[in-house]
Amino acid sequence: MKITKICCIGAGYVGGPTMAVIAQKCPHIQVTVVDLNEERIAAWNDKDLNNIPIYEPGLDAIVSEARDRNLFFSTEVDKAIDEAQIIFISVNTPTKTYGKGKGMAADLKFIELCARQIARVAKDNKIVVEKSTLPVRTAEAIKSILDNTGNGVQFQILSNPEFLAEGTAVQDLLNPDRILIGGDTTFEGQKAIQSLVDVYSNWVNADKILTTNVWSSELSKLTANAFLAQRISSINAMSELCEKTGADINEVAKAIGMDSRIGSKFLKASVGFGGSCFQKDILNLVYIAKSYGLNEVADYWEQVIIMNDHQKRRFSSKIVQTLYNTVSDKKITFLGWAFKKDTNDTRESAAIYVANDLINEHAKIAVYDPKVSSKKVLDDLNYLETRSIENNANSITSHLDPYEACQNAHAIAILTEWDEFKLYDWQKIYDSMQKPAFIFDGRNVLNGIELTEIGFIYKGIGS
Ligand code: UDX
Ligand code: ADP
């Protein structure tokens, strides 16, 4: 099938950047990204590119090049579905907060709504692509809905998981390690796979495009995220041991990372991983394993989450203990709130949990993050529902200037590894703080020796 029109349902962190790059690289294909959220679509269409809803280095330039040429953002979901030959589903699949599988299974209600909408609208054959990370065998459910409620047209379901990491999304999309496409082994299935391969072939080498069956593709995405997260929990587990023994986690990571069998990436000890994917996908894997009665498999992967929760809690406890066992009414400044640098995404950010612990100890938190709004900070805390909204609002403030945020603080905690933190005038910050002035570097990004020379009491992770 010659592809001339693509639609993507969901204009979020996955759908937005992915479709922008497809549109840039395939000027002959009309790409329409649709979302129910009118505010989000308006932001994607904002003439001022500073206002597009997702901050990703390089994304504004790509949107500027392709938007209104062959990239469109719209709330007219039915129209875009009707016109497209390929429909990507990029809606959110959060962990269930109710019912069976609560706190573990993926909530597929948004996926199901999309499938029903596609079935209702489609008047000709369509290729439906799962882009969101989904539990294994979701494609089967989508197919069943499409085939049983549709207008008698043919649907081919493909799994094409997205491996981009936030903060480097544009580079990851332009130069992917691999593109994975899973589809049916039937003739029609193979034809559908080829149509999608042809789209990616506009800029990705054939040897990087991998085709598999649907289930392998779905499971590979969960497995990749589980392996990456496991490395972080492994290094974080060793960081606690380093703190007890006098070893230095940065030195240990370097030493083991030089073993080519281990490799150097994803060995950075931290306050704990965040983001919308790792925890959700592992919980999902654990749930799937349990539902097949594979309890040892489930327990094995669950430990990655247990370790991550421990690392976040350990960080807040260390702050309390070091500050003479009380942070009550003390000002603690958080530099960083996003779950990693170069993104404005805060989902599952360690900062939220550390702040929550410290507010429970009656600390006053001041936040500075170069890309996260004060509303977002407060919304994140309120989402935990551990205290009243008024109490949260009285316990946390956000600042536009890092020096102002640090003024009179008893301690600074680094929660995100933003590059700009390394460039600050730390002497000026030290002079404006309460003494002794503490820094808890949850990302090991600052120079502990220099800070100690200034007078700070510096505590990194794993040393
Ligand atoms: C991840 C996967 O990397 C990506 O392939 C998938 O498509 C989505 O999930 P993302 O969550 O955007 O991407 O970012 P990632 O770079 O993986 O970081 C996740 C978390 O781990 C962040 O909080 C980061 O700070 C933390 N991290 C990462 C560490 O603590 N140490 C490391 O060495 C690497
Ligand atoms: P991700 O990180 O997976 O991209 P986001 O939450 O950033 O997740 O984006 C998902 C988007 O999908 C949201 O903007 C949401 O409004 C949109 N969405 C969810 N369900 C539907 C639907 N049925 N039709 C259109 N858009 C939807």
Side-chain angles (χ1 to χ4, degrees):
M1 194 195 289
K2 176 117 185 59
I3 304 302
T4 53
K5 285 190 179 157
I6 286 177
C7 149
C8 173
I9 309 180
Y13 283 89
V14 174
T18 309
M19 291 305 128
V21 168
I22 292 182
Q24 189 210 26
K25 293 294 179 186
C26 310
H28 54 286
I29 300 178
Q30 180 183 313
V31 180
T32 307
V33 190
V34 290
D35 204 298
L36 297 172
N37 183 334
E38 288 177 10
E39 210 181 315
R40 207 165 211 186
I41 290 298
W44 277 112
N45 282 321
D46 201 306
K47 291 288 164 248
D48 180 353
L49 289 161
N50 288 316
N51 294 335
I52 60 174
I54 287 165
Y55 173 71
E56 277 291 340
L59 181 61
D60 48 357
I62 291 180
V63 170
S64 154
E65 179 187 330
R67 197 174 57 186
D68 299 332
R69 177 190 72 186
N70 64 322
L71 174 66
F72 301 92
F73 295 93
S74 160
T75 50
E76 292 183 272
V77 184
D78 283 3
K79 179 166 181 279
I81 292 174
D82 178 34
E83 291 177 351
Q85 294 121 349
I86 298 186
I87 300 157
F88 285 87
I89 303 185
S90 281
V91 300
N92 35 336
T93 51
T95 304
K96 271 186 90 173
T97 52
Y98 55 89
K100 192 161 179 276
K102 178 179 174 186
M104 294 217 123
D107 191 341
L108 297 179
K109 75 172 174 212
F110 302 115
I111 296 281
E112 177 163 347
L113 282 172
C114 284
R116 289 187 184 278
Q117 191 160 8
I118 295 168
R120 178 172 52 76
V121 172
K123 294 193 285 292
D124 53 9
N125 297 350
K126 307 277 185 205
I127 299 171
V128 176
V129 185
E130 302 174 345
K131 199 66 176 154
S132 324
T133 306
L134 295 168
V136 187
R137 304 205 86 88
T138 304
E140 205 164 46
I142 297 179
K143 184 148 183 55
S144 165
I145 292 167
L146 290 173
D147 288 347
N148 288 300
T149 58
N151 305 316
V153 299
Q154 295 293 310
F155 293 102
Q156 280 300 322
I157 321 293
L158 301 180
S159 160
N160 171 220
E162 186 45 66
F163 293 101
L164 68 82
E166 289 177 30
T168 53
V170 169
Q171 277 317 310
D172 296 342
L173 288 162
L174 291 174
N175 304 300
D177 285 345
R178 78 308 207 178
I179 296 289
L180 181 58
I181 302 174
D184 261 5
T185 47
T186 57
F187 176 70
E188 289 300 320
Q190 294 301 305
K191 257 183 30 189
I193 289 179
Q194 193 54 46
S195 299
L196 192 54
V197 168
D198 290 344
V199 172
Y200 284 108
S201 296
N202 284 292
W203 77 100
V204 182
N205 273 340
D207 59 349
K208 288 197 170 168
I209 304 181
L210 208 63
T211 59
T212 64
N213 75 38
V214 180
W215 324 125
S216 301
S217 172
E218 288 182 340
L219 187 60
S220 298
K221 169 70 186 190
L222 291 183
T223 308
N225 277 345
F227 270 57
L228 291 168
Q230 180 203 42
R231 282 173 72 93
I232 304 169
S233 276
S234 297
I235 203 75
N236 283 343
M238 300 319 285
S239 76
E240 189 169 15
L241 196 55
C242 284
E243 287 169 26
K244 294 286 178 212
T245 58
D248 180 323
I249 198 64
N250 295 324
E251 292 177 350
V252 173
K254 186 163 184 196
I256 65 163
M258 285 172 78
D259 185 325
S260 60
R261 295 167 302 175
I262 296 176
S264 60
K265 294 181 179 161
F266 270 71
L267 288 181
K268 193 124 191 51
S270 68
V271 53
F273 60 74
S276 69
C277 286
F278 283 173
Q279 172 159 313
K280 180 187 80 181
D281 289 355
I282 293 178
L283 289 175
N284 194 348
L285 194 61
V286 169
Y287 183 74
I288 294 168
K290 278 191 181 152
S291 63
Y292 284 108
L294 309 179
N295 292 327
E296 288 76 8
V297 177
D299 290 349
Y300 178 78
W301 287 109
E302 191 165 19
Q303 198 59 37
V304 173
I305 300 292
I306 293 172
M307 187 62 225
N308 197 50
D309 288 341
H310 171 67
Q311 188 75 349
K312 291 182 271 188
R313 232 175 297 115
R314 198 166 81 73
F315 188 74
S316 44
S317 300
K318 191 174 175 180
I319 294 178
V320 177
Q321 273 165 23
T322 311
L323 295 184
Y324 315 106
N325 288 314
T326 175
V327 289
S328 180
D329 285 328
K330 290 182 180 167
K331 176 175 176 182
I332 300 177
T333 300
F334 278 25
L335 292 181
W337 187 265
F339 82 98
K340 64 185 283 197
K341 73 171 179 178
D342 292 337
T343 178
N344 59 350
D345 193 352
T346 63
R347 286 176 288 181
E348 290 301 326
S349 179
I352 304 168
Y353 296 92
V354 176
N356 188 56
D357 287 352
L358 294 175
I359 293 173
N360 280 341
E361 296 285 339
H362 296 180
K364 299 285 181 205
I365 310 287
V367 181
Y368 167 76
D369 186 291
K371 291 290 172 195
V372 179
S373 68
S374 57
K375 179 177 180 309
K376 189 88 198 71
V377 169
L378 206 52
D379 286 351
D380 286 341
L381 263 185
N382 290 337
Y383 187 75
L384 294 181
E385 292 183 341
T386 44
R387 279 174 304 274
S388 69
I389 292 174
E390 295 73 38
N391 193 328
N392 281 337
N394 290 333
S395 306
I396 198 156
T397 52
S398 286
H399 300 260
L400 295 173
D401 174 47
Y403 295 95
E404 181 199 290
C406 293
Q407 201 150 25
N408 278 324
H410 291 259
I412 292 171
I414 310 287
L415 273 304
T416 314
E417 72 281 22
W418 286 101
D419 290 331
E420 66 173 64
F421 298 162
K422 296 181 206 160
L423 306 174
Y424 287 175
D425 181 346
W426 284 100
Q427 180 69 56
K428 179 173 157 187
I429 291 176
Y430 177 77
D431 292 341
S432 76
M433 285 175 65
Q434 304 269 350
K435 306 295 175 325
F438 295 90
I439 293 194
F440 298 90
D441 188 350
R443 298 289 185 163
N444 287 348
V445 283
L446 299 180
N447 185 328
I449 297 172
E450 278 175 26
L451 292 172
T452 308
E453 276 166 9
I454 290 175
F456 282 105
I457 299 176
Y458 175 86
K459 306 259 180 206
I461 300 269
S463 59

